[in-house]
Structures are given as structure tokens and as C-alpha cells.
Amino acid sequence: MKIKYIILMMSIFFLSGCGIQSLPKSKNAVEAGWAEVQNQYQRRADLVPNLVNTVKGYAKHERETLEAVVEARANATKVNLKVDQLSDANLKKFQDAQSALSSALSRLLLVVEKYPDLKANENFRDLQVQLEGTENRIAISRRRYIEAVQYYNNQITVPPSSWTNGFFYHYEKKPQFVADEPEKVKEAPKVEF
């Protein structure tokens, strides 16, 4: 009787420390992290039409830039991944679409420098502040997703929890965000004083 009790207690102790609970919890953290990433990108996409409309009133002859922003927003909102669709290739498509929108917004904000009245417009300033705040939120949510994926991937690949994954769950590694390729500079800029 004592031996059965000891074996039962050791089994409970062993199972509690080998990923039975921590694997699903870390998978849930990845899912929550991805949902937050998508939420912040959607917040940015929702700000774009208001920003474009505000700029449109002041910069009528910047039509090409405005159209590029609208098109980039449309493309970015088309690429919507659920957490179970995450793969390296799908995440790359998502990241490329979001990078294109970031680039278009950067060009738009450069164009705005030509219009002092627009820069002084209260609506534009408010939208610009919201956009900057959203970009910070995107960075934070991406970092949290990266941390959750790192922990999850460690859980499913490092013993003893990886053994539990092999026996019970069969979870696959999740992809990570990768840094965008920096633009290549053909010639170093010259600094003159």
C-alpha cells in the first residue's frame, strides 16, 4: 500500500513538472500575444483613412502619395492571419504587407513637411500623435509576442516538457518576427561642417 502511494505521489510530482500544464499555458500566451499584435496593426489601419482625409484637404496635388497609402492599407488589411495559420511564409507575407504600409505612411509624413498649415491643423496633430502611439504599441506587442513564442518554442523543444509534448500534445514550433532588411546604401553620406 505504501509503495502504491509513493508511486502515485511521485507520478503526480513528475507530471506537474514536465509540461502537462505549462505547455497549454504557453500556447495560450502565444495566441494572446498574436491577437494583441493584430489588434495594434488594426488600430493603425483604422487611423489611416482619417489621416488621408485630413491630408487630402491640404495637399490636393499629392494624390500619388495618398493613393499609395490607401493601397498599402488595403493590402495590409487583406493579410489577416489566425494563430493556427502562422508559418514562416505566412508571417513573412503579413510582415511585408505591414512594412509596406509603414513605408507609405513615412512617405506621407515627409510630404506633410511641405505644408505648414497642415502641420498646424489640430486634427492632423492629434492623428499624428495617435499614429506615433500606435507604432509604439505595435513594437511592444510584437516584443511580447516574440517573448511568448520563445518561451513556447523552448517548452516544446527542451526536455522534460518536450517529452510531454511528444507524448500528449504534438505542438509545432511557432514562427518569429524577423527584422526587416535594411536598405542598402550605395555610398556613405558625406558630413560637412
Side-chain angles (χ1 to χ4, degrees), residues 5 7 12 104 176 182:
Y5 181 71
I7 291 173
I12 291 172
Q176 283 286 15

Coordinates of all heavy atoms in Angstrom, one line a residue, residues 5 7 12 104 176 182:
Y5 N 1.2 4.3 -2.9 CA 1.0 5.7 -2.5 C 2.3 6.5 -2.9 O 2.1 7.6 -3.5 CB 0.8 5.8 -1.0 CG 0.6 7.2 -0.6 CD1 -0.6 7.9 -0.9 CD2 1.5 7.9 0.2 CE1 -0.8 9.2 -0.4 CE2 1.4 9.2 0.6 CZ 0.2 9.9 0.3 OH 0.0 11.2 0.7
I7 N 4.4 5.8 -5.3 CA 4.5 5.8 -6.8 C 3.5 6.9 -7.3 O 3.8 7.6 -8.2 CB 4.2 4.4 -7.4 CG1 5.4 3.5 -7.1 CG2 4.0 4.5 -8.9 CD1 5.2 2.1 -7.5
I12 N 2.5 12.1 -9.7 CA 1.9 13.5 -9.7 C 2.9 14.5 -9.7 O 2.8 15.5 -10.5 CB 0.9 13.6 -8.5 CG1 -0.3 12.7 -8.7 CG2 0.5 15.1 -8.3 CD1 -1.2 12.6 -7.5
A104 N 4.7 53.6 -46.7 CA 3.8 54.6 -47.3 C 3.4 55.7 -46.3 O 3.4 56.8 -46.7 CB 2.5 53.9 -47.8
Q176 N 8.8 33.3 -35.7 CA 9.1 34.6 -35.0 C 9.1 35.7 -36.1 O 9.2 35.5 -37.3 CB 10.5 34.5 -34.4 CG 10.5 33.8 -33.1 CD 9.9 34.6 -32.0 OE1 9.2 35.5 -32.1 NE2 10.2 34.1 -30.8
P182 N 17.6 46.0 -43.9 CA 17.9 47.4 -44.1 C 18.2 47.7 -45.5 O 18.7 46.9 -46.3 CB 19.2 47.6 -43.2 CG 19.8 46.2 -43.1 CD 18.7 45.2 -43.3

